[in-house]
Amino acid sequence: MAAQILDGKKVAEQIRSEVKAGVAERVKTGKSVPGLATVLVGDNPASHVYVASKQKACQEVGINSFGYELPATASQVEVEDLVKQLNADPNVNGILVQLPLPNGLDEENVLKSISIEKDVDGFHPINIGRLAQKGRDPLFVPCTPAGCIHLLKMTLPKLEGLNAVVLGRSNIVGMPVALLLVRENATVTICHSRSKNLPDIVRQADILVAAVGRPEMVKGDWIKPGAVVIDVGINRIDDVSRPKGYRLVGDVAFDEAKENASWITPVPGGVGPLTIAMLLQNTLRAAALLD
Ligand code: GUN
C-alpha cells in the first residue's frame, strides 16, 4: 500500500499559528515582544533566501526581526563583536548566525560567542554537549532535527526500541537528529560516506532520516515495508520541462520509496517548513526565559 504523505507545510502552519497566539498573549499581558536577530555574513545566495524567509516568518507571527549583514571579508572579531552587541541587546531574545560562514571564519568560536540563553538555533557547544549527555537538557534544540522528531512523533505512538537509521552526520542535521533519537530510546545507526552496505543497513530501519544532500540516493527497495521516511535533502536536478530548468528532489527516490513506506515526507513541503516553525517556537521560548 502506498505511503501516507507527511504534509510538513500544514504541520508548520499549525505551529506558526500557535506561536502567533503565544506572542499575542504575551503582548496582551504586558510582556515584551519577542525579537530575533539574524546575522548573515557574505553573499551565499541560498543563505540570503533562507534568512529572508526566517525574517518574513517572524513578521507574520508578530516577532520582531532584526537583520544584520556583514561582508564576506568581515573579520572574526567583527562577527563576534556583533554577536556580543546582540547578546547585550534586551530587545533581542534569539540570535541566528546563518551557516555556512565564509571561508576563513571560525564557526565554532562564532557559535560559542552567542549567549546560550539566546541560542535559538541550538548550535552553541554547550547546548549540543548537553544534548549528547544523559541527564542534561539543552536550552534549545536545533530546528531541523526538532522538526524531524516532531513529524516522527505525529506518525508513531512511540520511538522507543525502534531501529532508526540516520544518513549523514552533519552538525546541523545528522548528528543532532541522531542524538535526539537516542534520547527517545530508539536504536540509532548513523551512516555516512564511508559506510559499507548502505542498502542493507537502511533495510533494517523502522525510521529513516536522510540528510546527505545526494539527489534520490535512497532507492525504493532500500525501504523496509512500513518504515517512516523523513527526507531532509533538498537538491536541484536539471529538468528542462520546468520553467526554471530544474526541480527539487530529496535524498530519497520518492516515487519508489512511497510504495514501501507507511509515511513519507515530500520534497519540497516536508521537513523544510518545520525548520522555520521550530525557530519561531524557540524564539518565543527564549523570550519566556526572561519573564
Ligand atoms: N544553515 C542551514 N540550516 C541552518 C539552520 O538551521 N540554522 C543556521 N543558522 N544555519 C543553517
Side-chain angles (χ1 to χ4, degrees):
M1 202 175 79
Q4 301 191 66
I5 307 301
L6 260 167
D7 185 346
K9 231 171 123 181
K10 206 163 124 195
V11 178
E13 266 162 29
Q14 173 68 28
I15 295 170
R16 284 160 76 139
S17 73
E18 285 163 15
V19 172
K20 188 172 181 174
V23 172
E25 181 61 25
R26 282 184 66 78
V27 174
K28 206 172 84 187
T29 54
K31 293 178 182 156
S32 64
V33 178
L36 175 72
T38 56
V39 177
L40 182 52
V41 189
D43 34 44
N44 178 321
S47 291
H48 273 265
V49 173
Y50 290 138
V51 168
S53 323
K54 291 170 185 179
Q55 291 172 335
K56 184 162 167 265
C58 281
Q59 281 143 20
E60 283 168 8
V61 299
I63 291 176
N64 284 333
S65 160
F66 309 101
Y68 292 84
E69 291 193 19
L70 292 174
T73 52
S75 69
Q76 185 75 25
V77 171
E78 282 170 315
V79 179
E80 289 183 26
D81 279 353
L82 173 56
V83 170
K84 283 177 199 154
Q85 176 195 321
L86 299 171
N87 284 340
D89 186 338
N91 296 313
V92 170
N93 299 107
I95 302 169
L96 177 140
V97 178
Q98 186 66 25
L99 302 177
L101 289 170
N103 288 340
L105 290 172
D106 181 333
E107 181 186 294
E108 187 186 357
N109 277 327
V110 170
L111 296 175
K112 220 157 65 179
S113 68
I114 299 173
S115 149
I116 62 163
E117 289 81 13
K118 298 191 178 190
D119 177 36
V120 288
D121 249 336
F123 293 151
H124 190 291
I126 291 182
N127 276 324
I128 288 288
R130 288 182 181 170
L131 188 66
Q133 290 179 319
K134 252 178 121 170
R136 315 258 158 87
D137 289 312
L139 283 171
F140 299 100
V141 171
C143 301
T144 305
C148 294
I149 299 295
H150 186 90
L151 291 173
L152 286 170
K153 285 188 167 175
M154 287 180 59
T155 61
L156 292 162
K158 63 184 175 76
L159 312 188
E160 183 167 321
L162 297 180
N163 282 340
V165 171
V166 178
L167 301 182
R169 52 178 163 178
S170 71
N171 291 336
I172 292 179
V173 184
M175 193 55 78
V177 91
L179 294 170
L180 283 167
L181 286 162
V182 169
R183 291 173 84 93
E184 295 293 334
N185 297 320
T187 303
V188 182
T189 305
I190 304 172
C191 299
H192 43 76
S193 53
R194 312 282 168 85
S195 297
K196 295 195 175 115
N197 304 326
L198 210 49
D200 287 341
I201 297 171
V202 174
R203 283 189 189 107
Q204 305 295 316
D206 303 305
I207 294 167
L208 174 67
V209 179
V212 275
R214 293 187 53 188
E216 300 181 324
M217 183 187 85
V218 177
K219 307 302 174 200
D221 67 355
W222 297 18
I223 306 295
K224 178 178 174 180
V228 179
V229 176
I230 306 289
D231 190 353
V232 187
I234 303 182
N235 311 288
R236 276 186 187 188
I237 59 168
D238 293 340
D239 186 342
V240 288
S241 72
R242 299 292 176 97
K244 289 184 177 164
Y246 68 86
R247 67 191 157 92
L248 296 177
V249 298
D251 293 345
V252 178
F254 180 85
D255 288 337
E256 296 171 17
K258 77 174 186 338
E259 297 306 318
N260 278 339
S262 60
W263 289 91
I264 187 168
T265 57
V267 176
V271 182
L274 267 291
T275 299
I276 293 186
M278 293 298 163
L279 175 68
L280 300 174
Q281 213 175 50
N282 280 352
T283 306
L284 177 59
R285 282 195 32 244
L289 286 179
L290 302 178
D291 292 345

